Amino acid sequence: MSVRSAAVRTAAVPPSSALPSSAVPSAVLPPHLARQVWRGNELGHAARGSVPTGHSVLDRHLPDGGWPCAALTELLSARAGTGEMRLLAPALAALTAHPLAPRHVVLIAPPFLPYAPALQAVGIAVDKLVWLDVDGADALWAAEQALRHDGVGAVLLWLPRVQATALRRLQVLAQDGNALAFLMRPASAAAQSSPAPLRLQCAPADVPGAWLRTLRGVSNAPVDSGMRTAAADPLERAGLRVDILKRRGPALGTPLLLRLPVRVAPFVPEVAENDHGVDRGDVADAATRSSTTTVA
């Protein structure tokens, strides 16, 4: 009799798959867990918020509208210095020059010598900037220590080669903290798997050589000439092509074109060979060859 009753009860209730979607109760997750869940057809959330990139076109396509905190972000390019510093400059300026709680930015193994006037020209507080000239295992160790430090707002690490175990370790350390973590790698790494939640491939946009003709004239203009810090209107069209290879959200089939103005730092010292440019891309190469200009 009990078996028959159970059979009757089972038959009376259709399986959940047969019910309309509106009749299936949805699970209500606590807010801290709900941020970890995302549907494949919509942008997810950053676990601990984000910092705006300063580029509205890019913000619209990133989870939480900016660079994710407590997560590893990979920037891939064919060669170092193609625009990654100009891409990150607005966020780094916001972190180091915050009026209430400025935080440090750590540059680890950058391929070129950072140049203070160029960094100041984009609003980065150089007294909050730490530059570590190390490589290999020492660079990885330095990045791990920086990610553990509460006073660090962003860690930028350049590594031409990195093992999968080291990548996973960086991601774990990044998510345990609250800083921005950027790893600059060669474009050839795009085909490799990575635990980083966000991966971007960057390449300089086509910039006709004629756009650089006024660079020296603008950089030598008198300080009181009223000329803007941007080298020239045509130079403001210097761009960076960004392909979002991986994000918490649907695939983005078309690349983004960001306009990265070339700025001229005032009173750059005369030097025969200038390797102090912030970036050394197609535009940066030409600008850093000038003894009176630098690129930001």
Side-chain angles (χ1 to χ4, degrees):
M1 182 175 180
S2 60
V3 174
R4 182 180 178 185
S5 325
V8 171
R9 287 197 300 270
T10 303
V13 181
S16 58
S17 59
L19 294 174
S21 58
S22 59
V24 179
S26 57
V28 178
L29 297 175
H32 70 283
L33 291 179
R35 293 184 63 85
Q36 304 292 331
V37 179
W38 57 276
R39 296 180 176 88
N41 62 346
E42 61 185 28
L43 284 177
H45 294 282
R48 298 188 185 178
S50 63
V51 175
T53 67
H55 311 281
S56 58
V57 174
L58 181 58
D59 284 342
R60 288 196 295 269
H61 297 280
L62 296 181
D64 275 355
W67 301 119
C69 300
L72 183 64
T73 296
E74 286 190 17
L75 300 180
L76 313 178
S77 58
R79 62 176 180 148
T82 56
E84 63 268 24
M85 282 300 292
R86 284 181 292 148
L87 176 65
L88 300 178
L92 302 184
L95 290 171
T96 59
H98 193 282
L100 300 178
R103 303 177 71 187
H104 285 83
V105 168
V106 182
L107 308 180
I108 303 175
F112 303 104
L113 182 65
Y115 187 57
L119 298 170
Q120 288 178 317
V122 292
I124 296 175
V126 294
D127 61 325
K128 296 296 181 181
L129 197 66
V130 179
W131 167 43
L132 301 178
D133 186 14
V134 292
D135 55 19
D138 291 337
L140 280 170
W141 182 87
E144 293 173 3
Q145 304 312 307
L147 288 171
R148 290 189 174 103
H149 200 290
D150 292 336
V152 172
V155 176
L156 283 65
L157 172 62
W158 284 261
L159 278 182
R161 292 176 300 276
V162 59
Q163 296 182 350
T165 53
L167 273 178
R168 289 193 293 270
R169 185 174 176 84
L170 285 174
Q171 166 58 15
V172 170
L173 288 171
Q175 68 184 12
D176 286 344
N178 197 37
L180 303 180
F182 297 99
L183 175 61
M184 270 56 76
R185 304 180 66 192
S188 57
Q192 303 172 9
S193 62
S194 171
L198 180 61
R199 306 184 79 197
L200 308 181
Q201 185 163 350
C202 306
D206 292 335
V207 181
W211 290 3
L212 298 172
R213 291 175 183 170
T214 60
L215 182 59
R216 179 176 294 275
V218 172
S219 64
N220 293 335
V223 176
D224 58 353
S225 64
M227 190 168 291
R228 298 174 295 107
T229 55
D233 287 335
L235 277 172
E236 290 205 14
R237 284 177 278 174
L240 188 71
R241 172 190 167 123
V242 176
D243 290 272
I244 300 181
L245 305 179
K246 180 182 177 182
R247 63 176 178 173
R248 287 181 174 173
L252 187 64
T254 57
L256 305 176
L257 183 62
L258 307 183
R259 190 177 68 178
L260 302 180
V262 175
R263 297 184 181 276
V264 178
F267 307 110
V268 178
E270 292 283 343
V271 289
E273 189 76 22
N274 187 356
D275 267 352
H276 303 299
V278 177
D279 289 327
R280 291 295 297 270
D282 289 350
V283 176
D285 276 341
T288 51
R289 290 192 190 108
S290 169
S291 62
T292 56
T293 60
T294 189
V295 177

Coordinates of all heavy atoms in Angstrom, one line a residue, residues 62-145:
L62 N 34.2 45.4 -20.7 CA 34.9 44.7 -19.6 C 33.9 44.5 -18.5 O 33.1 45.3 -18.2 CB 36.1 45.5 -19.1 CG 37.2 45.7 -20.2 CD1 38.4 46.5 -19.5 CD2 37.7 44.4 -20.7
P63 N 34.0 43.4 -17.8 CA 33.2 43.1 -16.6 C 33.4 44.2 -15.6 O 34.5 44.6 -15.3 CB 33.7 41.8 -16.1 CG 34.3 41.1 -17.2 CD 34.9 42.2 -18.1
D64 N 32.3 44.8 -15.1 CA 32.2 45.9 -14.1 C 32.8 47.1 -14.7 O 33.2 48.1 -13.9 CB 32.9 45.5 -12.8 CG 32.0 44.7 -11.9 OD1 30.8 44.6 -12.2 OD2 32.5 44.3 -10.8
G65 N 33.0 47.2 -16.0 CA 33.4 48.4 -16.6 C 34.8 48.9 -16.3 O 35.0 50.1 -16.1
G66 N 35.8 48.0 -16.2 CA 37.2 48.4 -15.9 C 38.1 47.3 -15.7 O 37.8 46.1 -15.9
W67 N 39.4 47.6 -15.3 CA 40.3 46.6 -15.0 C 40.0 45.9 -13.8 O 39.7 46.5 -12.7 CB 41.7 47.2 -14.9 CG 42.3 48.0 -16.0 CD1 42.6 49.3 -16.1 CD2 42.6 47.5 -17.3 NE1 43.1 49.6 -17.3 CE2 43.1 48.5 -18.1 CE3 42.4 46.2 -17.9 CZ2 43.4 48.4 -19.4 CZ3 42.8 46.1 -19.3 CH2 43.3 47.1 -20.0
P68 N 39.9 44.6 -13.8 CA 39.4 43.8 -12.6 C 40.5 43.8 -11.5 O 41.6 43.6 -11.7 CB 39.2 42.4 -13.1 CG 40.1 42.3 -14.3 CD 40.2 43.6 -14.9
C69 N 40.0 44.2 -10.3 CA 40.9 44.0 -9.1 C 40.9 42.6 -8.7 O 40.0 41.8 -9.0 CB 40.3 44.9 -7.9 SG 40.2 46.6 -8.3
A70 N 42.0 42.2 -8.0 CA 42.1 40.8 -7.5 C 42.0 39.8 -8.6 O 41.3 38.8 -8.4 CB 41.1 40.6 -6.4
A71 N 42.6 40.1 -9.7 CA 42.6 39.1 -10.8 C 43.8 39.4 -11.7 O 44.2 40.6 -11.8 CB 41.3 39.2 -11.6
L72 N 44.3 38.4 -12.4 CA 45.4 38.6 -13.3 C 44.9 39.0 -14.7 O 44.0 38.4 -15.2 CB 46.2 37.3 -13.4 CG 47.4 37.3 -14.3 CD1 48.5 38.3 -13.7 CD2 48.0 35.9 -14.4
T73 N 45.4 40.0 -15.3 CA 45.1 40.5 -16.6 C 46.3 40.4 -17.5 O 47.4 40.8 -17.1 CB 44.6 42.0 -16.6 OG1 43.4 42.1 -15.8 CG2 44.4 42.4 -18.0
E74 N 46.2 39.7 -18.6 CA 47.3 39.6 -19.6 C 47.2 40.5 -20.7 O 46.1 40.7 -21.3 CB 47.4 38.1 -20.1 CG 47.9 37.1 -19.1 CD 48.1 35.8 -19.8 OE1 48.2 35.7 -21.0 OE2 48.2 34.8 -19.0
L75 N 48.3 41.2 -21.0 CA 48.3 42.1 -22.2 C 49.4 41.5 -23.1 O 50.6 41.4 -22.8 CB 48.7 43.5 -21.8 CG 47.8 44.2 -20.8 CD1 48.3 45.6 -20.6 CD2 46.4 44.3 -21.4
L76 N 49.0 41.0 -24.3 CA 49.8 40.4 -25.3 C 50.1 41.3 -26.4 O 49.2 42.0 -26.9 CB 49.2 39.1 -25.8 CG 48.6 38.2 -24.7 CD1 47.9 36.9 -25.4 CD2 49.6 37.7 -23.7
S77 N 51.4 41.3 -26.9 CA 51.8 42.1 -28.0 C 52.9 41.5 -28.7 O 53.7 40.7 -28.1 CB 52.1 43.6 -27.5 OG 53.2 43.6 -26.6
A78 N 53.1 41.9 -30.0 CA 54.2 41.3 -30.8 C 55.5 41.7 -30.2 O 56.5 41.0 -30.3 CB 54.0 41.8 -32.2
R79 N 55.6 42.9 -29.6 CA 56.9 43.3 -29.0 C 56.5 44.3 -27.9 O 55.4 44.9 -27.9 CB 57.8 44.0 -30.0 CG 57.3 45.2 -30.6 CD 58.3 45.9 -31.5 NE 57.8 47.1 -32.2 CZ 58.5 48.1 -32.5 NH1 59.8 48.1 -32.2 NH2 58.0 49.2 -33.1
A80 N 57.4 44.4 -26.9 CA 57.1 45.2 -25.8 C 57.1 46.7 -26.2 O 57.9 47.1 -27.1 CB 58.1 45.0 -24.7
G81 N 56.3 47.5 -25.5 CA 56.3 49.0 -25.8 C 55.4 49.4 -27.0 O 55.7 50.4 -27.6
T82 N 54.4 48.6 -27.3 CA 53.5 48.9 -28.4 C 52.4 49.8 -27.9 O 51.5 50.1 -28.7 CB 53.0 47.7 -29.1 OG1 52.4 46.8 -28.1 CG2 54.1 46.9 -29.7
G83 N 52.3 50.2 -26.7 CA 51.3 51.0 -26.2 C 50.7 50.6 -24.9 O 49.7 51.2 -24.4
E84 N 51.3 49.6 -24.2 CA 50.7 49.1 -23.0 C 50.7 50.1 -21.9 O 49.7 50.2 -21.1 CB 51.3 47.8 -22.5 CG 52.8 47.9 -22.2 CD 53.7 47.6 -23.3 OE1 53.3 47.7 -24.5 OE2 54.9 47.2 -23.1
M85 N 51.7 51.0 -21.8 CA 51.8 52.0 -20.7 C 50.8 53.1 -21.0 O 50.2 53.6 -20.0 CB 53.2 52.5 -20.6 CG 54.2 51.6 -19.9 SD 53.7 51.2 -18.2 CE 53.8 52.8 -17.4
R86 N 50.7 53.5 -22.2 CA 49.6 54.5 -22.5 C 48.2 54.0 -22.3 O 47.3 54.7 -21.9 CB 49.8 55.0 -24.0 CG 51.0 56.0 -24.1 CD 51.0 56.5 -25.6 NE 51.4 55.4 -26.5 CZ 51.0 55.3 -27.7 NH1 50.2 56.2 -28.2 NH2 51.4 54.3 -28.5
L87 N 48.1 52.7 -22.5 CA 46.8 52.0 -22.3 C 46.4 52.0 -20.8 O 45.3 52.3 -20.4 CB 46.8 50.6 -22.8 CG 45.5 49.7 -22.6 CD1 44.3 50.3 -23.3 CD2 45.8 48.3 -23.0
L88 N 47.4 51.8 -20.0 CA 47.2 51.6 -18.5 C 47.4 53.0 -17.8 O 47.0 53.0 -16.6 CB 48.2 50.6 -17.9 CG 48.2 49.2 -18.5 CD1 49.3 48.4 -17.8 CD2 46.8 48.6 -18.3
A89 N 47.9 54.0 -18.4 CA 48.2 55.2 -17.7 C 47.0 55.8 -17.0 O 47.2 56.3 -15.8 CB 48.8 56.2 -18.7
P90 N 45.8 55.9 -17.5 CA 44.7 56.6 -16.8 C 44.4 55.8 -15.4 O 44.2 56.5 -14.4 CB 43.5 56.5 -17.7 CG 44.1 56.4 -19.1 CD 45.4 55.6 -18.9
A91 N 44.5 54.5 -15.5 CA 44.2 53.8 -14.2 C 45.3 53.9 -13.2 O 45.1 54.1 -12.0 CB 44.0 52.3 -14.6
L92 N 46.6 53.9 -13.7 CA 47.7 54.1 -12.8 C 47.7 55.5 -12.2 O 48.1 55.7 -11.0 CB 49.0 53.8 -13.6 CG 49.2 52.5 -14.2 CD1 50.6 52.3 -14.9 CD2 48.9 51.3 -13.3
A93 N 47.3 56.5 -13.0 CA 47.2 57.8 -12.5 C 46.2 57.9 -11.4 O 46.4 58.6 -10.3 CB 46.9 58.8 -13.6
A94 N 45.0 57.3 -11.6 CA 44.0 57.3 -10.6 C 44.4 56.6 -9.3 O 44.0 57.1 -8.2 CB 42.7 56.6 -11.1
L95 N 45.2 55.6 -9.4 CA 45.7 54.9 -8.2 C 46.7 55.7 -7.4 O 46.7 55.8 -6.2 CB 46.2 53.5 -8.5 CG 45.2 52.5 -9.0 CD1 46.0 51.2 -9.6 CD2 44.3 52.0 -7.9
T96 N 47.7 56.2 -8.1 CA 48.9 56.9 -7.5 C 48.5 58.3 -7.0 O 49.1 58.8 -6.0 CB 50.1 56.9 -8.4 OG1 49.7 57.6 -9.6 CG2 50.5 55.5 -8.8
A97 N 47.6 58.9 -7.7 CA 47.3 60.3 -7.3 C 45.9 60.4 -6.6 O 45.4 61.5 -6.7 CB 47.3 61.2 -8.6
H98 N 45.4 59.4 -6.1 CA 44.2 59.4 -5.4 C 44.3 60.4 -4.2 O 45.2 60.4 -3.4 CB 43.8 58.0 -4.8 CG 42.4 57.9 -4.4 ND1 41.9 58.4 -3.2 CD2 41.3 57.4 -5.0 CE1 40.7 58.2 -3.0 NE2 40.2 57.6 -4.1
P99 N 43.3 61.3 -4.1 CA 43.4 62.4 -3.1 C 43.4 61.9 -1.7 O 43.9 62.6 -0.8 CB 42.2 63.3 -3.4 CG 41.2 62.4 -4.2 CD 42.1 61.5 -4.9
L100 N 42.7 60.8 -1.4 CA 42.6 60.3 0.0 C 43.5 59.1 0.3 O 44.0 59.0 1.4 CB 41.1 59.9 0.2 CG 40.1 61.0 0.1 CD1 38.7 60.5 0.3 CD2 40.4 62.2 1.0
A101 N 43.6 58.2 -0.6 CA 44.3 57.0 -0.4 C 45.2 56.6 -1.6 O 44.9 55.6 -2.3 CB 43.4 55.8 0.0
P102 N 46.3 57.3 -1.8 CA 47.1 57.0 -3.0 C 47.8 55.6 -2.7 O 48.2 55.3 -1.6 CB 48.1 58.1 -3.0 CG 48.1 58.7 -1.7 CD 46.7 58.5 -1.1
R103 N 48.0 54.9 -3.8 CA 48.6 53.6 -3.6 C 49.8 53.5 -4.6 O 49.9 54.2 -5.6 CB 47.6 52.5 -3.9 CG 46.4 52.5 -3.0 CD 45.4 51.5 -3.4 NE 45.8 50.2 -3.0 CZ 45.1 49.0 -3.4 NH1 44.0 49.1 -4.1 NH2 45.6 47.9 -3.0
H104 N 50.7 52.5 -4.3 CA 51.9 52.4 -5.1 C 51.7 51.5 -6.3 O 50.8 50.7 -6.3 CB 53.0 51.7 -4.3 CG 53.7 52.6 -3.2 ND1 53.1 52.8 -2.0 CD2 54.8 53.3 -3.3 CE1 53.9 53.7 -1.3 NE2 54.9 54.0 -2.1
V105 N 52.4 51.8 -7.4 CA 52.5 51.0 -8.6 C 53.9 50.4 -8.7 O 54.8 51.2 -8.6 CB 52.1 51.8 -9.8 CG1 52.4 51.1 -11.1 CG2 50.6 52.2 -9.8
V106 N 54.0 49.1 -9.0 CA 55.2 48.5 -9.1 C 55.5 48.0 -10.5 O 54.7 47.2 -11.0 CB 55.3 47.3 -8.1 CG1 56.7 46.6 -8.2 CG2 55.0 47.7 -6.7
L107 N 56.6 48.5 -11.1 CA 57.0 48.0 -12.4 C 58.1 47.0 -12.3 O 59.1 47.4 -11.7 CB 57.4 49.2 -13.3 CG 56.5 50.5 -13.4 CD1 57.2 51.5 -14.2 CD2 55.2 50.1 -13.9
I108 N 57.9 45.8 -12.8 CA 58.9 44.8 -12.6 C 59.4 44.3 -14.0 O 58.6 43.9 -14.9 CB 58.3 43.6 -11.9 CG1 57.7 44.0 -10.5 CG2 59.3 42.5 -11.7 CD1 57.0 42.9 -9.8
A109 N 60.7 44.5 -14.2 CA 61.3 44.0 -15.4 C 60.8 44.7 -16.7 O 60.6 44.1 -17.7 CB 61.3 42.5 -15.6
P110 N 60.5 46.0 -16.7 CA 60.1 46.7 -17.9 C 61.2 46.7 -18.9 O 62.4 46.7 -18.6 CB 59.8 48.1 -17.5 CG 60.6 48.3 -16.2 CD 60.7 47.0 -15.6
P111 N 60.9 46.6 -20.2 CA 61.9 46.4 -21.2 C 62.7 47.7 -21.5 O 63.8 47.7 -22.1 CB 61.1 46.0 -22.5 CG 59.7 46.6 -22.2 CD 59.5 46.5 -20.8
F112 N 62.1 48.8 -21.1 CA 62.8 50.1 -21.3 C 62.8 50.9 -20.0 O 62.0 50.7 -19.1 CB 62.1 50.9 -22.4 CG 62.0 50.2 -23.7 CD1 60.8 49.7 -24.1 CD2 63.1 50.1 -24.5 CE1 60.7 49.0 -25.3 CE2 63.0 49.4 -25.7 CZ 61.8 48.8 -26.1
L113 N 63.7 51.8 -19.9 CA 63.9 52.6 -18.7 C 62.7 53.6 -18.6 O 62.5 54.4 -19.4 CB 65.2 53.4 -18.8 CG 65.6 54.3 -17.6 CD1 65.8 53.4 -16.4 CD2 66.8 55.1 -17.9
P114 N 61.9 53.5 -17.5 CA 60.8 54.5 -17.3 C 61.4 55.9 -17.2 O 62.5 56.1 -16.6 CB 60.2 54.0 -16.0 CG 60.7 52.6 -15.8 CD 62.0 52.5 -16.4
Y115 N 60.6 56.9 -17.7 CA 61.1 58.2 -17.8 C 60.1 59.1 -17.0 O 58.9 59.2 -17.4 CB 61.2 58.7 -19.2 CG 61.8 60.1 -19.3 CD1 63.1 60.3 -18.8 CD2 61.2 61.1 -20.0 CE1 63.7 61.6 -18.9 CE2 61.8 62.4 -20.1 CZ 63.0 62.6 -19.6 OH 63.6 63.8 -19.7
A116 N 60.5 59.7 -15.9 CA 59.6 60.4 -15.0 C 58.8 61.5 -15.6 O 57.6 61.6 -15.3 CB 60.4 60.9 -13.8
P117 N 59.4 62.4 -16.4 CA 58.6 63.5 -17.0 C 57.4 63.0 -17.8 O 56.3 63.5 -17.8 CB 59.6 64.3 -17.8 CG 60.9 64.0 -17.2 CD 60.8 62.6 -16.7
A118 N 57.7 61.9 -18.6 CA 56.6 61.3 -19.4 C 55.5 60.7 -18.5 O 54.3 60.9 -18.8 CB 57.1 60.2 -20.3
L119 N 55.9 60.1 -17.4 CA 54.9 59.5 -16.5 C 54.1 60.6 -15.8 O 52.9 60.5 -15.6 CB 55.6 58.6 -15.5 CG 56.3 57.4 -16.1 CD1 57.1 56.7 -15.0 CD2 55.3 56.4 -16.7
Q120 N 54.8 61.7 -15.4 CA 54.1 62.8 -14.8 C 53.2 63.5 -15.7 O 52.1 64.0 -15.3 CB 55.1 63.8 -14.2 CG 55.9 63.3 -13.0 CD 56.9 64.3 -12.6 OE1 57.7 64.9 -13.4 NE2 57.0 64.6 -11.3
A121 N 53.5 63.5 -17.0 CA 52.7 64.2 -18.0 C 51.3 63.5 -18.1 O 50.3 64.2 -18.5 CB 53.4 64.2 -19.4
V122 N 51.2 62.2 -17.8 CA 49.9 61.6 -17.8 C 49.2 61.5 -16.5 O 48.3 60.7 -16.3 CB 50.0 60.2 -18.5 CG1 50.4 60.3 -19.9 CG2 51.0 59.3 -17.7
G123 N 49.8 62.2 -15.5 CA 49.2 62.2 -14.2 C 49.6 61.2 -13.1 O 49.0 61.1 -12.1
I124 N 50.6 60.4 -13.5 CA 51.1 59.4 -12.5 C 52.0 60.0 -11.5 O 52.9 60.8 -11.9 CB 51.8 58.3 -13.3 CG1 50.9 57.5 -14.2 CG2 52.5 57.3 -12.3 CD1 51.5 56.5 -15.1
A125 N 51.8 59.8 -10.2 CA 52.6 60.3 -9.2 C 53.9 59.5 -9.1 O 53.8 58.3 -8.6 CB 51.8 60.3 -7.8
V126 N 55.0 60.0 -9.5 CA 56.2 59.2 -9.6 C 56.7 58.9 -8.2 O 57.5 57.9 -8.1 CB 57.3 59.9 -10.4 CG1 56.8 60.0 -11.8 CG2 57.6 61.3 -9.8
D127 N 56.3 59.6 -7.1 CA 56.8 59.2 -5.8 C 56.1 57.9 -5.3 O 56.5 57.4 -4.3 CB 56.6 60.4 -4.8 CG 55.1 60.7 -4.7 OD1 54.4 60.7 -5.7 OD2 54.7 61.1 -3.6
K128 N 55.1 57.5 -6.0 CA 54.4 56.3 -5.7 C 54.7 55.1 -6.7 O 54.1 54.1 -6.7 CB 52.8 56.5 -5.7 CG 52.3 57.5 -4.7 CD 52.6 57.0 -3.3 CE 52.1 57.9 -2.2 NZ 52.3 57.4 -0.8
L129 N 55.8 55.4 -7.5 CA 56.2 54.4 -8.5 C 57.4 53.7 -8.0 O 58.4 54.3 -7.6 CB 56.4 55.1 -9.8 CG 56.5 54.3 -11.0 CD1 55.1 53.7 -11.3 CD2 56.9 55.1 -12.2
V130 N 57.4 52.3 -8.1 CA 58.5 51.5 -7.7 C 59.0 50.7 -9.0 O 58.2 50.1 -9.6 CB 58.2 50.5 -6.6 CG1 59.4 49.6 -6.3 CG2 57.7 51.3 -5.4
W131 N 60.2 50.9 -9.3 CA 60.8 50.2 -10.5 C 61.8 49.2 -10.0 O 62.8 49.5 -9.3 CB 61.4 51.2 -11.4 CG 62.3 50.6 -12.5 CD1 62.0 49.5 -13.3 CD2 63.6 51.1 -13.0 NE1 63.0 49.3 -14.2 CE2 64.0 50.2 -14.0 CE3 64.4 52.1 -12.6 CZ2 65.2 50.4 -14.6 CZ3 65.6 52.3 -13.2 CH2 66.0 51.4 -14.3
L132 N 61.6 47.9 -10.4 CA 62.5 46.8 -10.1 C 63.2 46.3 -11.3 O 62.5 45.7 -12.2 CB 61.7 45.7 -9.3 CG 61.0 46.1 -8.0 CD1 60.3 44.9 -7.4 CD2 62.0 46.7 -7.0
D133 N 64.5 46.4 -11.4 CA 65.2 45.9 -12.6 C 65.7 44.5 -12.3 O 66.9 44.3 -11.9 CB 66.4 46.9 -12.9 CG 67.1 46.5 -14.2 OD1 66.5 45.7 -15.0 OD2 68.2 47.0 -14.4
V134 N 64.8 43.5 -12.5 CA 65.1 42.1 -12.2 C 64.6 41.3 -13.4 O 63.9 41.8 -14.3 CB 64.5 41.6 -10.9 CG1 65.2 42.3 -9.7 CG2 63.0 41.9 -10.9
D135 N 64.9 40.0 -13.5 CA 64.4 39.2 -14.5 C 64.3 37.8 -14.0 O 64.7 37.4 -12.9 CB 65.3 39.3 -15.8 CG 66.7 38.9 -15.5 OD1 67.0 38.3 -14.5 OD2 67.6 39.3 -16.3
G136 N 63.6 36.9 -14.9 CA 63.5 35.5 -14.6 C 62.8 35.2 -13.3 O 61.8 35.8 -12.9
A137 N 63.4 34.3 -12.5 CA 62.8 33.9 -11.3 C 62.7 35.0 -10.3 O 61.8 35.1 -9.5 CB 63.6 32.7 -10.7
D138 N 63.7 35.9 -10.3 CA 63.6 37.1 -9.4 C 62.4 38.0 -9.7 O 61.8 38.6 -8.8 CB 64.9 37.9 -9.5 CG 66.1 37.1 -8.9 OD1 65.9 36.2 -8.1 OD2 67.2 37.4 -9.3
A139 N 62.1 38.1 -11.0 CA 60.9 39.0 -11.3 C 59.6 38.3 -10.8 O 58.8 39.0 -10.3 CB 60.9 39.1 -12.9
L140 N 59.5 37.0 -11.0 CA 58.3 36.3 -10.4 C 58.2 36.5 -8.9 O 57.2 36.8 -8.4 CB 58.4 34.9 -10.8 CG 57.9 34.5 -12.2 CD1 58.2 33.1 -12.6 CD2 56.4 34.8 -12.4
W141 N 59.4 36.3 -8.2 CA 59.4 36.4 -6.8 C 59.0 37.9 -6.4 O 58.2 38.0 -5.4 CB 60.7 36.1 -6.2 CG 60.8 36.2 -4.7 CD1 60.5 35.2 -3.8 CD2 61.2 37.3 -4.0 NE1 60.7 35.7 -2.6 CE2 61.2 37.0 -2.6 CE3 61.7 38.6 -4.3 CZ2 61.5 37.9 -1.6 CZ3 62.0 39.5 -3.3 CH2 61.9 39.1 -1.9
A142 N 59.5 38.9 -7.1 CA 59.2 40.2 -6.7 C 57.7 40.5 -7.0 O 57.0 41.2 -6.2 CB 60.0 41.2 -7.6
A143 N 57.1 40.0 -8.0 CA 55.7 40.2 -8.3 C 54.8 39.5 -7.2 O 53.8 40.1 -6.7 CB 55.3 39.6 -9.7
E144 N 55.2 38.3 -6.7 CA 54.5 37.7 -5.7 C 54.5 38.5 -4.4 O 53.5 38.6 -3.7 CB 55.1 36.3 -5.4 CG 54.9 35.3 -6.6 CD 55.6 34.0 -6.4 OE1 56.3 33.9 -5.3 OE2 55.6 33.2 -7.3
Q145 N 55.7 39.0 -4.1 CA 55.8 39.8 -2.8 C 54.9 41.1 -3.0 O 54.3 41.5 -2.0 CB 57.2 40.2 -2.5 CG 58.2 39.0 -2.4 CD 57.6 37.9 -1.5 OE1 57.2 38.2 -0.4 NE2 57.5 36.7 -2.0

